Amino acid sequence: MANRPPPQTSDRDLMPPPPRSRRPALLHTLGGTRTPILLSDTELESSSGDDDGSASSTPHARTRGLQDATQRMLDDLRSVVQGTNYCCGGTIPTGNFTTSTSLAETGGTAASSITLRFDTPDGLVARIKFPDPNTAEIESLSRVCSYPTFSSEGRGGLDASHFSTDFHPHEFGISDTIAQTLLPGVEKLTKNEGTKKGEELWGVKTELRALNIYYPSTSSSAIKIQDTTSEKGRAEPHFGTLIICLPCPHQGGQLHLSHKSQTQTYDWGSTSPSIQWVAFHNQAALSIQPVTAGHLITLTYNLFISSPIRLPLHPNLPSADPYLHPLYTTIKTMLTDPSFLPEGGTLGFFCTNNYSHTCRNADRMFPYCLKGVDGVLFSVCNTLGLKTTVKPVLGDEAWDEHYEYLVQSFMEEEESEGSVPSQQNISRIGKGFGRIKMVDVQIEAGEDPTAVVNKYFPFNDVEGVEWLNEARHEGWEVQMVNLKGANGEEGGEGEGGGLMWHYSCAAILVGVPGWEVRKGMMVVVVEGGEEEMSG
């Protein structure tokens, strides 16, 4: 090819791997002087017993000197944010029944109500319309659904071959929301290796499985729901379940979802006519509390992985309610605790999914392209009134080299006085996303790279960011390349010349006000009875 660059003559001119983990700060004492121990790469690798391949020269993971209470809560948050993306849920008011997402955008019309048809014992077909079914219709459905083995538990049901409905999750954006929230990371749950390719094209296929009706009974025990779906003979992996609660007045019947150490409760008992829904991974355990009044009527769908083209959710489309995610309760509890970041601070979370953040128009992509726990965390923090942004974060490689040069120079001085130069806990947050820059400017060995990098890729120095996770190896992208000066004596031949590579990783930054500001936030009651903090 005519445009192929000439062969490289030095390995130093080749593109290096993404940034490595920060060297540990090792010091030993000689007399009254603290002296750094400089390890070679070989010694560093042999001294590290933690090689999970996860991240890179990320900014400092912790800020020393925080109060113990704050640190404990941050540790809890680090644990929760990496293990709670097993469910999502939402609400569709009845006013939206006439403007379902897909039909409204195409100029079509949607049904003004939900119709349920089912077979009766005499061979006829009965019909119920929601959200205003009458008592006789509900009793008729209850009789048809009554299973003797379930009657003592206050539960009955029909499989999909004995009923039909004109409601479909896709029409209200539920399928798209599930795809964006639960699919990322689900490849770890599938047993079929052939389905683990092309995850970026995955979509969600919903398949109606059953109708269930729950009513008051003498039993006070929760009903444990077992998923008996078989994947035998199916090409699509089954990864979860979707439950739709039809608008029918009832009390009790709370759904309890548990996964590992996390538990989430969905209380749908209300006289307000609305559709409630929850979707969850197969690994979650489901139980339903007894209904104390009225009837809880649900539709159950199997969730399968399919491979249509998936578009990112737009802010105007229906999405999961943030306050129904387990992460909402965790963060809200922290914010209402005076001992959590009493002076305020910044939380950082490196995106756990891959995004082409150095491509053209990346600023327009975020935050709408966020998926999985990335999208959940952004949505929850934003809902709680916290200043939440997505920004590129530069790796520390260039500044680590500069710091090592300062330490080495300090050690080589014959009469060095004072203390060893300290390395600041600074995160370099880009002011915006930008395409890769190839810069014909040289940074000399030992030179502070801040001025040059900031000129071509503007960033802010942010001190004391509390990082909740480490950046993934795959999340780093080349942000800027410049010339690198040789490391040698003036006028002599040195080593280390060539190119200097700067990487960036997309991250979510959350500004947390100090307690004096947080306690002034008013608590308001939003529709549905859920409390929310408002600035």
Side-chain angles (χ1 to χ4, degrees), residues 351-421:
C351 291
T352 59
N353 295 281
N354 294 338
Y355 309 100
S356 299
H357 65 272
T358 57
C359 70
R360 188 186 301 273
N361 297 326
D363 273 318
R364 298 181 183 179
M365 292 168 43
F366 293 101
Y368 311 125
C369 65
L370 294 178
K371 54 188 178 181
V373 70
D374 305 337
V376 171
L377 179 63
F378 185 95
S379 181
V380 165
C381 293
N382 194 53
T383 299
L384 286 168
L386 303 177
K387 183 179 180 182
T388 311
T389 58
V390 186
K391 298 290 184 181
V393 179
L394 286 172
D396 293 331
E397 286 288 288
W399 287 268
D400 285 347
E401 290 185 17
H402 174 60
Y403 174 71
E404 291 176 5
Y405 176 85
L406 294 179
V407 172
Q408 190 67 41
S409 298
F410 177 85
M411 298 293 296
E412 291 175 353
E413 292 181 6
E414 295 182 359
E415 299 181 359
S416 57
E417 297 181 356
S419 59
V420 176

Side-chain angles (χ1 to χ4, degrees), residues 102-285:
S102 59
L103 293 179
E105 290 182 342
T106 57
T109 57
S112 58
S113 62
I114 298 174
T115 301
L116 181 68
R117 294 177 174 85
F118 56 93
D119 299 333
T120 63
D122 54 6
L124 300 178
V125 177
R127 182 179 68 176
I128 299 180
K129 281 195 173 184
F130 296 88
D132 297 313
N134 59 50
T135 303
E137 292 173 332
I138 296 297
E139 290 179 350
S140 175
L141 176 63
S142 181
R143 286 193 299 271
V144 172
C145 294
S146 294
Y147 292 157
T149 55
F150 289 154
S151 59
S152 62
E153 298 184 8
R155 170 191 177 191
L158 294 173
D159 61 45
S161 63
H162 290 88
F163 76 96
S164 64
T165 179
D166 58 2
F167 174 85
H168 196 283
H170 180 73
E171 293 184 353
F172 296 92
I174 296 176
S175 299
D176 291 333
T177 299
I178 296 172
Q180 191 172 29
T181 306
L182 296 186
L183 274 188
V186 79
E187 71 275 2
K188 301 176 183 178
L189 310 177
T190 61
K191 298 179 181 179
N192 186 347
E193 294 293 331
T195 64
K196 297 185 180 182
K197 299 178 181 179
E199 296 94 332
E200 67 278 1
L201 299 179
W202 280 357
V204 170
K205 177 182 178 181
T206 58
E207 184 177 276
L208 185 60
R209 183 173 82 201
L211 177 147
N212 288 100
I213 182 169
Y214 303 85
Y215 42 81
S217 70
T218 58
S219 175
S220 59
S221 301
I223 303 173
K224 294 184 178 180
I225 309 299
Q226 300 293 333
D227 186 358
T228 58
T229 303
S230 174
E231 294 188 28
K232 186 176 181 180
R234 298 195 62 105
E236 310 100 332
H238 174 243
F239 74 92
T241 300
L242 166 66
I243 295 179
I244 303 290
C245 176
L246 296 178
C248 184
H250 68 278
Q251 296 179 11
Q254 295 87 353
L255 276 73
H256 291 299
L257 277 174
S258 59
H259 178 64
K260 296 182 179 179
S261 61
Q262 301 297 320
T263 301
Q264 181 70 14
T265 299
Y266 294 85
D267 189 353
W268 293 337
S270 172
T271 57
S272 175
S274 59
I275 290 179
Q276 311 278 347
W277 65 271
V278 60
F280 50 92
H281 284 158
N282 289 335
Q283 282 69 22

